[in-house]
Amino acid sequence: MPLKIKIIMNKTSQQYDQVINVCQDIFTKKMKDYGIAWRILRPSSMTDQIYIKAQRIRSIEQKGISKIDEGVRSEYIGIVNYCIMALIQLEKGISESDDLTEEETLRLYLAYFKEAKDLMMAKNHDYDEAWRNMRMSSYTDLILMKLKRTKQIEDNLGKTLISEGIEANYLDMINYAVFALIKIEF
């Protein structure tokens, strides 16, 4: 691998880690405020929550103005965190009670973030940082497309003939949102 590409990919890895810290900080603070109330949500409800956030971003991008005093940054962070919660739900199943400790929840959170980062680094190697030349609106559109795919798979009770499953779509959405956050932060 040429040195220039290696340096850029190392920068991407460091920026990704900084975004992880931002998202984890918000996730942890909200867990202190709300506990793990989200454990009651079915994965399809998680998908709808992510959709609401992505649709708001698209609306702001198209209108050029927001009437609520929160920009798109917080929505991308929400997409990341809801995708990770959805992955936890897929693994653990829904729960009516607080069945996970704070420590276990954070361990799962970081494990899924690591899985998303590992996937991004592998794809980033093959695509040579192409995401850096994409428009912000493309991240939003790609997230919305992944949501449509996820909803279709959910409607098919998780069955696919040839396509990736729900988990892969959540991981891709995490990475598109992280790319947007890297562009916003740096």
Side-chain angles (χ1 to χ4, degrees):
M1 177 185 308
L3 182 60
K4 183 178 178 181
I5 298 294
K6 197 177 241 183
I7 290 169
I8 291 170
M9 286 188 66
N10 190 42
K11 177 181 170 184
T12 297
S13 179
Q14 291 170 355
Q15 290 173 335
Y16 199 105
D17 290 343
Q18 288 176 287
V19 169
I20 288 173
N21 290 336
V22 169
C23 294
Q24 179 189 353
D25 180 60
I26 290 170
F27 180 84
T28 302
K29 287 176 180 170
K30 287 196 175 204
M31 189 167 47
K32 297 263 187 231
D33 287 348
Y34 304 131
I36 54 170
W38 53 269
R39 290 282 292 127
I40 201 166
L41 294 174
R42 290 171 278 194
S44 59
S45 296
M46 293 283 192
T47 301
D48 287 342
Q49 276 300 122
I50 298 162
Y51 173 77
I52 289 167
K53 295 189 170 304
Q55 189 59 46
R56 180 169 182 265
I57 293 167
R58 187 174 184 159
S59 174
I60 292 168
E61 289 170 348
Q62 289 176 328
K63 294 174 186 167
I65 190 165
S66 168
K67 290 195 173 190
I68 298 172
D69 192 26
E70 275 188 2
V72 298
R73 179 182 181 269
S74 64
E75 300 297 355
Y76 280 118
I77 292 168
I79 288 170
V80 167
N81 286 339
Y82 271 107
C83 283
I84 293 175
M85 289 185 278
L87 287 164
I88 293 170
Q89 292 297 78
L90 288 173
E91 177 183 336
K92 296 290 187 183
I94 63 172
S95 177
E96 301 286 329
S97 64
D98 292 349
D99 61 338
L100 296 176
T101 65
E102 228 176 88
E103 295 78 22
E104 175 69 2
T105 304
L106 281 175
R107 186 192 66 72
L108 289 164
Y109 179 92
L110 291 172
Y112 280 115
F113 228 142
K114 181 184 180 323
E115 186 176 343
K117 181 183 178 187
D118 290 347
L119 175 66
M120 181 279 300
M121 292 300 288
K123 286 185 176 184
N124 201 34
H125 173 271
D126 291 353
Y127 290 101
D128 286 334
E129 299 273 321
W131 66 271
R132 289 194 182 270
N133 296 316
M134 291 171 60
R135 295 173 185 94
M136 291 288 287
S137 59
S138 293
Y139 303 134
T140 309
D141 290 349
L142 288 166
I143 290 168
L144 286 165
M145 179 192 66
K146 292 287 183 177
L147 285 162
K148 286 183 77 69
R149 289 179 178 183
T150 301
K151 286 181 177 190
Q152 183 63 48
I153 295 168
E154 288 170 346
D155 290 347
N156 292 340
L157 305 175
K159 293 183 175 84
T160 61
L161 298 175
I162 193 169
S163 305
E164 300 173 310
I166 292 171
E167 297 87 355
N169 284 290
Y170 284 136
L171 291 169
D172 284 344
M173 286 185 266
I174 290 168
N175 286 328
Y176 290 132
V178 169
F179 291 158
L181 287 164
I182 287 173
K183 282 196 166 186
I184 291 167
E185 300 288 322
F186 305 100

